[in-house]
Amino acid sequence: MTDNNLAIAPVLELRNVFKSFGALKATDDVSLTLLPGEIHALIGPNGAGKSTLIRQISGEYSPDHGSIHFLEKDLKGSGVAARAQMGLGRTFQVSSLALEFSALRNVMLAVQATEGTSFRFFKPVMKDQDLIDAAMVFLQEVDMQSRANIPAAELSHGERRKLEMAIALALKPKAFLLDEPMAGMGPEGSKALTVFLDKLRHQAPILLVEHDMDAVFALADRISVLVYGRIVATGTVDEIRTNPAVREAYLGEEV
Amino acid sequence: MLNVSRETILNCLLALTLLVVPFIALSLDEPFYVTLATRVAIYALAGVGLNLALGLGGLISFGHAAFFGIGGYAVGILASHALNYEPHFSSPFELEGTTQMLILWLVAMIVSGLAALIIGLFSLRTSGVYFIMITLAFAQMIYYFAISWPAYGGEDGLSIYVRNGFPGVNTLIPINFFLITFGVLMSALFLVATLRNSRFGAALQAARQNEDRLSAVGIKPFNIRLATFVISAMITGLAGALFADLNRFVSPNMLSWHTSGEIMVFVILGGVGRLFGPVAGAALFILFEFIFGGLTEHWMFFLGLVLLAVVLFARGGLIGSLAGKVRYD
C-alpha cells in the first residue's frame, strides 16, 4: 500500500504551508496532496481558512512558509496568470466573469489564452470561426449552447456557475481548483453538477472546496477537514464519517 | 434589412460632416473654418489615442499631454535643426534634422511610444487614483523639464518657420493640410476599430471588465495594458506632431496638465469607449469654444456645465445618447 502511494507522483502538493494575517493563523502547517484521477474534497466550517488556502494555490496570496508544488515544480514566485498557464484551472466562489461579454466570448477568451494568441492585433474574433467553434464545444459540455450570445450580466446565477465551469474546461487544466461550485445551485443543479464532476475527474484531478455534504460524500475519493487553519483529518469518506475528532469539530449532529 | 447599427451610421455622418465642412467654408470664402476643422481632426486624433487606453482598457491616464507634447517637440526640434542647417550631433555620425512629415511622424511616434513604455512600466503597477496621479506626475515632470531647457525655447516655446513637407502635396495650403490630418485620423480610427475586435482587444476589454478573470485564464493584464498604453501614446504623439505643424509652433503648454484634461474632456463628451467618441467630443469642444468663446471669456464655465450633465445623465456621451448602449456581439 505504501509503496503504491509513493509510486504515484502527486499533481499538486502542499508542504507545511503557513499563512497568518496579524495574529490570525489562517493556514497553520497544512500539507496535502492531490493525486492523479482523484477528487480531493476540502471541507471545514466557515472561517476555517479554505478560501485562504485556495488563494495560496491559485497565486493570489503567497504563503509565509512552506511550499506548493504543481507537477513537481515549485510555484513560488509564479503569479496567478502564470499558474493558470501551467494548468491550474480554478473557478471562483463568487462567479467572476467579463460581464459585458457574451457567454461565448467569455469562453473564447479562455481558448485564446491557452493558445497564447492574445497578442494578435488584426483578425476580428467574431469572424474567427475556429475560435468560435472551439469555445462552443465547451459551452455544449455544460449545456449552455443556447445561451451563447447572452451577455454574462444577463445570465442567471446557475448559468453563471455553468459558464465558470465551461471556462475552466476550456483551459484544459492539469488540475481543477473548484471553490464551492455548488453554492446557490439548488438541489436539481447540485445533482446535475455532481454527475458532471464525477466524470470530470478522469480529465484531471479536482481539489474541491464544498459545503454540500451530499455532493462531497458522493464524489470524494479523499477528504481533508480544515479547522482553524489546521488539517485535523484526511481520509476516505468512511474514515472521515467515523472520525470522532471530525464529528466533534465539524460535523456535529448532522451525521 | 441591412445589418448596419445606428452607431455606424452616426459615425459615417460625423466623418462626412468633418470632411465636407472645410470645402463648404472654402466655397463661401471663409478659410478660417478650414483651420478650425483641422484643429477638430487633430484634437480628435489625440482623443482617439486616449480613448484606446481609457475607453477600451479602463486606464484613466491623466498624463496624455506628455505624449501630445513629446510628439510636438519631436517635430519642432527636428525641423529647427533642419532649418538652421545644424546637425543634432556630428560624431560618431552626423544626424541632420528633417522637414519631411512622414519621417517626423515616425520619430514622434517612436519617442512617445518609448516614453509611454517607461511611464507605463511604473504607473501600470498601480490602479485607480494612484494610476491617475502617477501619470499626471510623469507628465508634469516632462512639462517642467521643457520649461527649463533653454536650448529649445524653454518657456517661450519653439517656432517652426515653414510647415514641414509631405510628398507630392503643398502643405502650406490649408485644405491640403486638413486632408492630411483627416486621412491620419481615419487611419487611426480604423486601427483602433481593428484592435478592438481582435484577440488583443478582447483581452484588453476583459482586463477592464474583470482583471481577476483575465488572470485566472492565464493572461497577464499588465502585459496587455502596457502594450495598449504604448499604442495609445503613439497615436496621441502623432496628434501632437500634427498640432505642431498646424500652429508652426510648439510650447510647454502642449505638455501641461490642462492639455491632459482637455484630451480627457474630448473623450468623455463624445462617449468613453465609443469609436467616434473623441471625434464628436473634439467637435463639440471646438464648437463651444467658437460659439461661446465669442460671447464670453468664461466659456469654459458653460463647457463645465455640459460636462457635468454628461457625467450625471448621459454616461455614453454624445454618441451614447444618440446610438444607445454598447452591446458586444
Side-chain angles (χ1 to χ4, degrees):
Chain A
M1 193 62 196
T2 322
D3 287 339
N4 207 4
N5 274 349
L6 280 177
I8 307 168
V11 176
L12 181 71
E13 184 175 13
L14 278 69
R15 290 181 204 148
N16 309 100
V17 173
F18 290 83
K19 177 86 188 170
S20 300
F21 299 102
L24 176 75
K25 286 181 180 171
T27 307
D28 189 2
D29 197 11
V30 169
S31 297
L32 66 83
T33 58
L34 181 65
L35 300 173
E38 79 165 342
I39 294 181
H40 190 153
L42 190 61
I43 64 173
N46 283 324
K50 301 186 296 292
S51 287
T52 305
L53 195 60
I54 289 285
R55 287 195 176 126
Q56 290 170 81
I57 301 171
S58 72
E60 286 153 87
Y61 296 161
S62 53
D64 297 338
H65 299 287
S67 69
I68 302 172
H69 288 254
F70 179 56
L71 302 171
E72 303 186 338
K73 261 182 276 178
D74 193 343
L75 289 181
K76 195 178 170 70
S78 313
V80 176
R83 292 179 193 201
Q85 281 280 337
M86 289 166 74
L88 264 177
R90 122 359 108 96
T91 64
F92 292 87
Q93 188 177 1
V94 178
S95 292
S96 181
L97 300 160
L99 289 174
E100 293 167 34
F101 279 169
S102 65
L104 180 64
R105 291 201 65 163
N106 269 280
V107 183
M108 283 162 68
L109 193 69
V111 174
Q112 79 176 47
T114 50
E115 291 177 2
T117 51
S118 294
F119 279 92
R120 286 200 191 153
F121 296 99
F122 299 108
K123 190 172 184 184
V125 283
M126 293 321 286
K127 291 191 177 132
D128 194 337
Q129 202 56 47
D130 291 342
L131 184 63
I132 293 172
D133 292 345
M136 212 59 178
V137 169
F138 299 109
L139 277 181
Q140 271 160 7
E141 280 194 45
V142 298
D143 200 25
M144 281 277 289
Q145 63 274 34
S146 61
R147 308 289 282 164
N149 294 319
I150 311 292
E154 293 169 21
L155 295 174
S156 71
H157 176 82
E159 287 170 333
R160 288 190 199 184
R161 310 274 350 169
K162 284 190 190 175
L163 180 54
E164 282 253 343
M165 192 56 75
I167 294 170
L169 291 175
L171 297 176
K172 296 186 182 141
K174 307 215 170 58
F176 287 99
L177 214 55
L178 306 183
D179 197 354
E180 295 193 32
M182 313 276 177
M185 284 289 263
E188 289 299 309
S190 290
K191 259 183 212 151
L193 192 56
T194 305
V195 174
F196 182 82
L197 293 182
D198 199 21
K199 281 183 275 183
L200 190 63
R201 80 177 89 197
H202 303 296
Q203 215 173 91
I206 302 170
L207 184 64
L208 177 69
V209 174
E210 190 48 65
H211 273 301
D212 182 335
M213 282 306 142
D214 292 336
V216 167
F217 287 144
L219 286 168
D221 298 293
R222 290 192 296 156
I223 299 174
S224 289
V225 184
L226 201 64
V227 179
Y228 295 121
R230 291 188 78 93
I231 290 189
V232 296
T234 296
T236 62
V237 172
D238 288 335
E239 285 166 9
I240 293 300
R241 271 188 206 268
T242 53
N243 185 317
V246 174
R247 294 177 73 104
E248 185 195 335
Y250 177 47
L251 296 174
E253 305 302 312
E254 280 177 40
V255 178
Chain B
M1 207 187 100
L2 263 171
N3 187 19
V4 179
S5 71
R6 199 139 49 121
E7 185 166 351
T8 311
I9 298 170
L10 190 64
N11 292 350
C12 290
L13 278 178
L14 264 171
L16 208 65
T17 310
L18 181 58
L19 181 62
V20 166
V21 162
F23 285 100
I24 296 174
L26 270 190
S27 71
L28 298 174
D29 210 19
E30 296 273 6
F32 169 72
Y33 292 96
V34 178
T35 306
L36 212 58
T38 313
R39 264 182 70 201
V40 171
I42 294 172
Y43 281 175
L45 182 65
V48 168
L50 178 63
N51 199 28
L52 178 62
L54 172 66
L56 297 186
L59 305 171
I60 307 171
S61 164
F62 199 31
H64 260 51
F67 312 123
F68 192 68
I70 285 172
Y73 267 93
V75 168
I77 290 170
L78 280 168
S80 75
H81 279 275
L83 295 168
N84 297 331
Y85 303 104
E86 275 175 0
H88 291 273
F89 48 83
S90 42
S91 67
F93 57 92
E94 195 164 281
L95 184 69
E96 302 263 3
T98 177
T99 58
Q100 278 304 316
M101 272 187 197
L102 291 176
I103 300 172
L104 291 167
W105 293 352
L106 194 68
V107 174
M109 286 167 74
I110 291 171
V111 180
S112 333
L114 284 176
L117 186 67
I118 295 164
I119 295 174
L121 274 174
F122 290 98
S123 59
L124 288 170
R125 296 186 189 282
T126 66
S127 60
V129 172
Y130 299 99
F131 180 76
I132 299 175
M133 285 298 136
I134 290 185
T135 48
L136 172 64
F138 271 108
Q140 287 300 98
M141 270 165 58
I142 296 170
Y143 168 71
Y144 286 111
F145 179 74
I147 281 185
S148 56
W149 196 18
Y152 296 108
E155 216 165 342
D156 299 331
L158 187 60
S159 287
I160 304 166
Y161 304 113
V162 183
R163 186 172 287 156
N164 294 297
F166 190 88
V169 181
N170 181 354
T171 56
L172 294 175
I173 298 171
I175 192 76
N176 288 353
F177 186 63
F178 167 76
L179 288 173
I180 291 172
T181 56
F182 185 79
V184 172
L185 173 63
M186 290 301 133
S187 312
L189 285 166
F190 179 74
L191 175 77
V192 170
T194 307
L195 287 182
R196 182 188 60 182
N197 297 331
S198 70
R199 291 185 184 208
F200 176 77
L204 175 63
Q205 291 167 83
R208 184 195 71 228
Q209 294 171 42
N210 187 341
E211 112 181 275
D212 293 337
R213 169 40 69 199
L214 194 66
S215 303
V217 298
I219 302 171
K220 249 182 125 174
F222 180 84
N223 298 348
I224 299 286
R225 286 177 176 151
L226 186 60
T228 303
F229 197 62
V230 169
I231 300 169
S232 157
M234 288 169 83
I235 296 173
T236 300
L238 182 57
L242 289 166
F243 195 66
D245 255 326
L246 173 68
N247 300 324
R248 278 172 275 167
F249 177 67
V250 290
S251 77
N253 262 343
M254 284 177 77
L255 290 158
S256 81
W257 66 270
H258 300 95
T259 306
S260 291
E262 278 180 13
I263 300 174
M264 204 179 276
V265 167
F266 307 151
V267 174
I268 294 171
L269 275 183
V272 176
R274 312 307 284 256
L275 185 61
F276 269 67
V279 183
L284 209 60
F285 184 91
I286 298 278
L287 277 177
F288 238 84
E289 182 186 54
F290 181 66
I291 296 169
F292 292 96
L295 301 175
T296 161
E297 58 181 302
H298 303 300
W299 67 276
M300 279 277 197
F301 172 77
F302 296 100
L303 185 73
L305 287 181
V306 171
L307 198 62
L308 205 62
V310 166
V311 172
L312 288 177
F313 305 114
R315 280 289 181 80
L318 192 62
I319 303 275
S321 311
L322 296 174
K325 274 179 73 175
V326 185
R327 184 131 183 139
Y328 293 91
D329 43 21

